[in-house]
Amino acid sequence: MLDQRSSENPADNTTSPASPGLSAVGSRRRRVDPAGRVRGRVTHVGDVDPGSTSTAHVALHRSTRPHARIRSVEVDEALAIDGVQAVVTGADLYAALGEHVLTGPAFQDQPAMAYDRVRYVGEPVAAVIATDLATARAATESVHVDYEDLEAVYDVDDALTGRAFVHDELRPSAVFGDLRHLNGVRDTNVNYEFRLARGDTDAVETAATGVQRRFWCPPTHHVPMELPCTVAWVEGNRLEMLTTTQTPSYVRQTVADMLRLPLSDVQVRTRPLGGSFGSKMYDRLEPLAAAIAWVLRRKVRVVASREEAFLLTTRHGARVTSAMRADADGDLVAATADIIYDTGAYADVGPRITGKSGMVASGPYRIPNVSIRSRCVYSNKPSAGPFRGFGVPQVTWSHESLIDELARRTGEDPYAYRRRHLLREGDVAAMGTVMHSADFTGCLDAVAEAVDWANPPERGEGRWRRGQGIAVGVKAVLTPTVSNAVLQLNQDASASLLISTVEMGQGSDTIMAQIVAEVLRIDSHRVHVVPADTDVTPYDTITAGSRSTYHTGNAVRLVAEQMRERLLALAAEQSGVPAGELRLTEEGISGSGHPEPLRVEDVVLRHFRARGTTLTCASNFTTDWVPYDRNTGQSAKVTEHWFAGAVAVRAAVDTWTGRIRLEHLAVSGDVGKAINPFLVEQQLSGAAITGIGHALFDELVLDQGQFVNGTLLDYQLPSLGDMPDRLTPIIVESPHRTGPFGAKGVGETGILAVAPAIANALRDAVGVRLTELPLTAERVLNAIERKRAEESPQESRQQSPQESQEGNQ
């Protein structure tokens, strides 16, 4: 059951009144074309007809070795198959493009296809181009590669030993300028290290109470419904592309650099995405498709199968060795963490994840002494990249488990203990940045009230034991970034908004239209958001990291305000009334001396003296930051704004099977101001459900670098039966002074604290503390049995659950 605590009428998902003084912002408007999405009427990239028989289909022959030198690639057998038009190897692309074939946002380390050596099982080595996809895929079996095996790096321990190296040297790309100092570094698998130091943790090692644990979060897969697909072709001397990407502006720059073309000769278009969660960012299929299309001068279509999608990117596996200490009064005095992110064969944005998560690894608490070391390491596995939460759930798993255990050791309630240590408005966080619009206490109080924390469940003495858990999360928004917006106001008072934010189910088209509608006092349904197209829509850094509401939203508000001022200026010219005495309302433009408002349609018509004309305005919104000190991690402004959220859980644990059943999960997020409360609640709920998967089920298992469960037959995901009996999303509003109408993003907030909240409920119910995710029934049952053995060795040997006559539910 889904509760909606912020709504007076949860059952009404249609438009409802906005906040006082606002007309569109704050209304519960339905998202753009919800029925079309549910019924499959929205056209995705993979649905687009290739257009002609000249479109060739691409399938990839992939490596069977985790780390090996390529001696030769034999393609004659594949070329002899009827319907095969060409076979292109990585060596062919390297011969045509040289080292420009290497791409990557952090390091220029990832080839479109492997040409000298392979670095993970499943890496593309050769591409078969054929008249149809089935022929192309079948022909990949006729490509034969001779390898010379090299020692592989299978995990973070292997990466740190220095016996083998995934790359010969580090080659920072031009995208992240702060990595330039790493250029040419050799003989290491550590591609980035972030350090944070505040106070002196050594001086409080003898504090009265301390807890220390080693935590593990495994790699997981994003599993979006829509599979990645890219179509690329050459038109004249331009490379054009239709693709599933969250980052069209980045892809355009990458392809232009690779092919040595001006940006004006590369066009990247998107369609609405069928989910992504970070899986369709940066370098996925696009460099490969562009390179093949350019070299062959052919229109090519590359689509990943479900199994291949597992190989394109994963969430980072992370190991966190951490500790927290409190003095005799129970006050937090120190926190330390040593974090290692496994980024796989290619860095992707691993260095950014390592830094952005490392700086919040001590949690949203007032702690005078903090020491954090966060490292990103290469291994011979599929590359890891962004995933909802950007690495922060991995460290939240650590600090929220530790503080829960510390509260229990000091004899305090875990909710109350957190609350008295949480950062407040104006406090300085561990990395030196002042907190603003991050209502941690409001979020914590909201979820505690929702699950009736003050009246804990009866623990029970039979087969089923019950407990409650709580956790808080903090994350910084990606900073600095750039957003632009172009607004065309049509003569009939409808509008077209041109932005490069990609709609992928989060509802960005809906809320951007609401922002325009709020400023121009028009119906938001009359605002059309143009899909991202680098020939048409202006530059935007990325659609990710929950940045769009704040960054693009500010650009949209600015451009709408420009349009409003232009309309008022035109009305002033036509009416003779000073612009300062005019105002824009739902009825039109009114002012002193004009009892009848001037209709916007008439003002534009009089200006151009033609129907169907448009007024156009453009705006930019760019954020800045103070780069953190390389030795201490300190920064006066490390981020533009914060995400604050909390989760509380009531759970039942089956002590016979180890199964955890969620009876109630409440999730809250400080969104500044909810532009559309309905969409905010959906984002909080969706993120929480993803977090439930990570807490209880999601885990990519590898053996010698190869996926054991890299298909949906084997990869376990939560089903409807695993959902909480009650799920309560709660909106907390602490307006941001520079947010659009006070708003911030929310897409990641709900996932941050889910796993530790569930683990803390498990600890409360049966007294076991697990430090490895997911909390599978097997792990839970083993922990319960170990605890029984420690507490009563003789009884645990003599009595089994089946022999027990304790109560059953």
Side-chain angles (χ1 to χ4, degrees):
M1 181 178 72
L2 177 64
D3 298 331
Q4 293 170 303
R5 294 292 297 274
S6 61
S7 171
E8 294 181 2
N9 183 12
D12 180 13
N13 293 334
T14 59
T15 302
S16 61
S19 303
L22 302 176
S23 60
V25 166
S27 70
R28 300 175 65 83
R29 184 201 141 166
R30 282 187 180 273
R31 66 174 63 240
V32 174
D33 196 15
R37 285 185 171 273
V38 172
R39 296 171 182 169
R41 292 199 299 254
V42 172
T43 302
H44 299 287
V45 172
D47 300 325
V48 176
D49 189 334
S52 71
T53 56
S54 64
T55 300
H57 296 263
V58 178
L60 302 172
H61 177 88
R62 296 178 176 274
S63 165
T64 58
R65 312 297 175 85
H67 197 197
R69 188 166 286 110
I70 300 172
R71 286 175 170 163
S72 64
V73 182
E74 298 295 332
V75 302
D76 291 345
E77 184 180 331
L79 282 169
I81 296 174
D82 186 38
V84 173
Q85 299 171 343
V87 179
V88 177
T89 67
D92 294 331
L93 295 183
Y94 184 79
L97 303 173
E99 294 198 346
H100 292 282
V101 80
L102 294 166
T103 63
F107 294 95
Q108 193 178 349
D109 61 359
Q110 184 165 357
M113 282 196 295
Y115 58 86
D116 59 346
R117 57 175 162 157
V118 295
R119 293 179 171 87
Y120 67 92
V121 174
E123 181 166 15
V125 177
V128 176
I129 296 89
T131 55
D132 62 87
L133 185 57
T135 298
R137 285 179 171 169
T140 61
E141 300 295 326
S142 297
V143 175
H144 304 286
V145 184
D146 183 27
Y147 295 106
E148 176 190 342
D149 287 326
L150 301 172
E151 185 174 355
V153 176
Y154 291 123
D155 55 36
V156 295
D157 289 320
D158 284 349
L160 297 177
T161 61
R163 288 195 304 267
F165 302 109
V166 179
H167 294 272
D168 295 330
E169 66 176 325
L170 302 183
R171 301 179 50 174
S173 75
V175 180
F176 297 163
D178 58 320
L179 302 180
R180 292 192 190 99
H181 67 286
L182 298 172
N183 188 49
V185 173
R186 301 180 64 86
D187 298 333
T188 184
N189 289 311
V190 180
N191 57 60
Y192 183 74
E193 180 171 334
F194 169 84
R195 285 184 178 270
L196 189 151
R198 183 185 190 194
D200 185 358
T201 55
D202 292 337
V204 291
E205 276 192 355
T206 57
T209 308
V211 291
Q212 180 173 345
R213 296 285 192 281
R214 173 172 285 187
F215 298 89
W216 171 248
C217 289
T220 60
H221 183 48
H222 307 67
V223 201
M225 292 182 68
E226 177 200 29
L227 291 167
C229 180
T230 301
V231 183
W233 63 96
V234 178
E235 192 75 35
N237 202 41
R238 300 184 81 227
L239 190 289
E240 300 184 5
M241 179 181 291
L242 175 65
T243 187
T244 52
T245 183
Q246 299 171 238
T247 53
S249 298
Y250 169 88
V251 169
R252 180 176 71 150
Q253 183 68 68
T254 293
V255 171
D257 289 344
M258 182 177 68
L259 303 182
R260 285 160 282 183
L261 294 173
L263 288 172
S264 57
D265 281 346
V266 177
Q267 179 189 21
V268 178
R269 292 188 291 126
T270 67
R271 296 289 303 161
L273 302 184
S276 179
F277 317 111
S279 65
K280 297 167 184 171
M281 291 177 61
Y282 301 115
D283 307 288
R284 297 295 175 252
L285 298 177
E286 292 84 12
L288 172 64
I292 293 173
W294 189 256
V295 169
L296 296 182
R297 287 301 198 266
R298 293 290 307 274
K299 185 173 186 178
V300 297
R301 182 178 187 269
V302 187
V303 60
S305 66
R306 181 60 67 183
E307 290 75 16
E308 287 176 312
F310 275 83
L311 297 167
L312 286 175
T313 187
T314 72
R315 184 172 85 151
H316 285 78
R319 189 174 77 190
V320 186
T321 305
S322 52
M324 278 188 177
R325 297 185 181 280
D327 62 18
D329 295 322
D331 295 331
L332 291 175
V333 293
T336 62
D338 184 0
I339 311 156
I340 306 173
Y341 284 95
D342 186 343
T343 201
Y346 301 108
D348 201 275
V349 289
R352 275 289 182 269
I353 287 172
T354 300
K356 295 293 184 183
S357 58
M359 69 184 185
V360 295
S362 58
Y365 301 108
R366 296 191 300 271
I367 307 176
N369 305 287
V370 177
S371 177
I372 307 294
R373 185 188 192 189
S374 185
R375 288 172 285 177
C376 182
V377 301
Y378 286 121
S379 67
N380 291 116
K381 299 176 184 175
S383 178
F387 197 116
R388 199 173 199 168
F390 210 67
V392 174
Q394 290 93 310
V395 296
T396 308
W397 165 236
S398 162
H399 66 67
E400 287 306 287
S401 297
L402 284 181
I403 196 169
D404 205 78
E405 200 63 31
L406 191 58
R408 294 176 185 279
R409 291 200 181 184
T410 59
E412 294 195 44
D413 175 78
Y415 156 67
Y417 191 70
R418 284 176 171 82
R419 198 180 195 285
R420 75 181 179 93
H421 287 104
L422 283 170
L423 292 163
R424 267 73 168 180
E425 181 79 13
D427 284 349
V428 178
M431 81 298 298
T433 298
V434 175
M435 304 304 294
H436 167 61
S437 180
D439 190 359
F440 297 109
T441 55
C443 291
L444 185 71
D445 291 345
V447 296
E449 180 184 357
V451 301
D452 195 17
W453 183 272
N455 297 295
E458 292 292 331
R459 297 298 186 270
E461 297 181 354
R463 171 179 173 178
W464 288 88
R465 308 293 176 87
R466 288 174 170 79
Q468 60 184 8
I470 201 163
V472 188
V474 57
K475 180 184 176 293
V477 74
L478 178 64
T479 309
T481 63
V482 178
S483 287
N484 293 282
V486 175
L487 183 62
Q488 295 177 338
L489 181 68
N490 301 310
Q491 182 266 317
D492 67 353
S494 64
S496 297
L497 177 63
L498 284 69
I499 54 176
S500 287
T501 296
V502 178
E503 173 62 61
M504 50 189 177
Q506 81 277 39
S508 58
D509 285 0
T510 305
I511 66 166
M512 298 305 167
Q514 287 180 259
I515 292 173
V516 171
E518 180 64 44
V519 176
L520 297 184
R521 297 292 166 168
I522 61 177
D523 184 349
S524 64
H525 293 84
R526 290 173 60 81
V527 180
H528 169 62
V529 181
V530 177
D533 178 343
T534 58
D535 271 7
V536 177
T537 57
Y539 178 90
D540 190 88
T541 302
I542 55 173
T543 306
S546 307
R547 63 172 290 281
S548 296
T549 296
Y550 181 88
H551 292 82
T552 309
N554 263 318
V556 170
R557 180 177 183 175
L558 288 170
V559 77
E561 289 173 346
Q562 287 181 34
M563 185 64 72
R564 181 184 62 196
E565 297 310 307
R566 189 169 181 189
L567 284 172
L568 294 177
L570 291 176
E573 290 177 9
Q574 296 171 15
S575 67
V577 178
E581 297 179 14
L582 298 173
R583 61 192 180 91
L584 184 60
T585 68
E586 287 81 355
E587 290 75 30
I589 300 171
S590 60
S592 59
H594 277 272
E596 290 295 323
L598 298 173
R599 295 172 67 244
V600 170
E601 297 93 319
D602 295 334
V603 170
V604 178
L605 180 62
R606 290 193 189 103
H607 177 67
F608 287 109
R609 297 175 183 157
R611 298 181 66 217
T613 52
T614 59
L615 291 173
T616 302
C617 293
S619 71
N620 164 266
F621 183 78
T622 300
T623 57
D624 59 4
W625 73 319
V626 178
Y628 35 68
D629 183 271
R630 201 174 293 168
N631 297 314
T632 66
Q634 297 296 301
S635 167
K637 184 186 179 183
V638 78
T639 186
E640 186 71 11
H641 72 73
W642 298 99
F643 302 103
V647 173
V649 171
R650 284 203 174 193
V653 182
D654 186 343
T655 59
W656 287 11
T657 68
R659 178 195 170 201
I660 298 174
R661 191 183 75 218
L662 303 178
E663 297 182 329
H664 190 185
L665 186 150
V667 55
S668 65
D670 179 359
V671 301
K673 167 66 184 176
I675 301 293
N676 186 318
F678 176 52
L679 296 185
V680 169
E681 289 161 353
Q682 286 188 325
Q683 286 293 296
L684 288 170
S685 300
I689 290 169
T690 304
I692 290 170
H694 290 167
L696 302 178
F697 301 103
D698 285 54
E699 179 180 22
L700 279 169
V701 179
L702 293 98
D703 182 19
Q704 299 293 293
Q706 183 162 340
F707 283 139
V708 173
N709 61 339
T711 75
L712 290 184
L713 291 173
D714 303 302
Y715 187 82
Q716 190 173 6
L717 293 166
S719 66
L720 285 174
D722 301 308
M723 293 300 99
D725 298 337
R726 292 180 63 192
L727 175 57
T728 307
I730 306 169
I731 297 172
V732 175
E733 294 183 317
S734 172
H736 194 282
R737 65 173 70 95
T738 57
F741 303 99
K744 307 181 295 183
V746 67
E748 297 171 296
T749 308
I751 196 175
L752 303 178
V754 175
I758 294 173
N760 293 338
L762 171 68
R763 168 69 168 84
D764 188 51
V766 296
V768 298
R769 170 68 63 189
L770 294 187
T771 58
E772 183 175 352
L773 290 176
L775 306 174
T776 62
E778 180 181 10
R779 288 188 177 124
V780 172
L781 185 60
N782 287 341
I784 291 173
E785 291 181 345
R786 283 195 300 270
K787 182 173 182 290
R788 283 175 178 156
E790 292 168 359
E791 292 177 347
S792 182
Q794 187 66 26
E795 181 181 341
S796 68
R797 285 195 297 269
Q798 293 178 350
Q799 187 179 49
S800 68
Q802 289 76 13
E803 294 167 335
S804 173
Q805 297 302 311
E806 292 180 328
N808 190 358
Q809 179 166 313

